[in-house]
Structure formats: C-alpha cells, structure tokens
Amino acid sequence: MSNSSFSLSSSSSIPKGVCLCGVKAKINTSWTQLNTGRRFFCCKTLKVRGGCNYFDWYDDEMPPQAKRVIWGLLKKVKSFEEERNRSRKFKVICVGAVVILATWNFFKKCS
C-alpha cells in the first residue's frame, strides 16, 4: 500500500480513501477480535443521514499471531481498568464511611 491515502485502488476507478459521496473518508480503528487494531476507511456521514456506507481497509491484514497478541494485551488493559475502577469505588465508600463515623462520633461527644 502506498503512503498516500488517495492511491487508486486496482479494482475501482474511485481513489482509495474517497467515499462514494465524493468526500474524503475518515479513518477508524477496528477493535473486534478478528481485526484488532486494523484501520479502515468509512464514510463520514452516517447511512441514516444519507451517507454512502463506504468501507475499505486502510491497513493490510495482520498475521494471526499479531492479532492474538494485541487481543490479549487489550484484554489485560481492560482487566486493569476494571480493577482500577473497583478500587476507586472502594476508596469512595471507605472515605464516606469514615466521614459518617467521624460525624456521628462528634455529635455523640457533643450530646
């Protein structure tokens, strides 16, 4: 693939990276297990808003080993993020409990 996002596709007379609407297509990244990290062109306008539903791969397909490694790393990152979110919620609950107990203890001593 050439470095230009507008190289002509061999199977079409439409330049690669230009959707059927005639507008420069945007580049998105796939995060599915089958095509993890693979970039693709798509129409900037949604189909329901009159877009052309254009799709074409920007990157060549990755070897299966690379897909497995990337997918495994993404799963680990997601696991770490979930654990971090659980820890943050736990900290908020603990701080809230300490504030409630301290307030209760303060008013108990004042009475």
Side-chain angles (χ1 to χ4, degrees):
M1 166 176 226
S2 84
N3 290 337
S4 170
S5 60
F6 286 92
S7 61
L8 285 178
S9 172
S10 59
S11 62
S12 170
S13 61
I14 299 172
K16 190 171 185 119
V18 176
C19 72
L20 303 175
C21 300
V23 179
K24 183 178 176 182
K26 70 177 183 174
I27 298 175
N28 282 344
T29 304
S30 170
W31 295 112
T32 64
Q33 187 171 2
L34 186 60
N35 291 299
T36 305
R38 192 172 178 195
R39 296 174 298 173
F40 60 92
F41 292 109
C42 64
C43 183
K44 289 180 182 178
T45 308
L46 297 174
K47 178 115 176 146
V48 294
R49 293 193 178 146
C52 63
N53 209 28
Y54 173 77
F55 174 89
D56 193 14
W57 289 112
Y58 178 85
D59 294 325
D60 293 332
E61 190 170 4
M62 292 184 213
Q65 176 65 19
K67 289 181 188 180
R68 283 191 299 274
V69 168
I70 292 171
W71 186 251
L73 291 171
L74 285 173
K75 284 173 49 177
K76 285 183 180 183
V77 167
K78 185 176 181 181
S79 173
F80 287 132
E81 287 174 347
E82 289 170 352
E83 179 61 32
R84 182 188 65 203
N85 289 339
R86 280 193 296 273
S87 294
R88 285 180 179 168
K89 287 177 185 177
F90 182 73
K91 286 178 187 176
V92 168
I93 291 170
C94 288
V95 168
V98 167
V99 168
I100 290 170
L101 288 174
T103 304
W104 178 72
N105 194 23
F106 174 77
F107 284 115
K108 184 178 170 185
K109 288 182 180 181
C110 290
S111 316

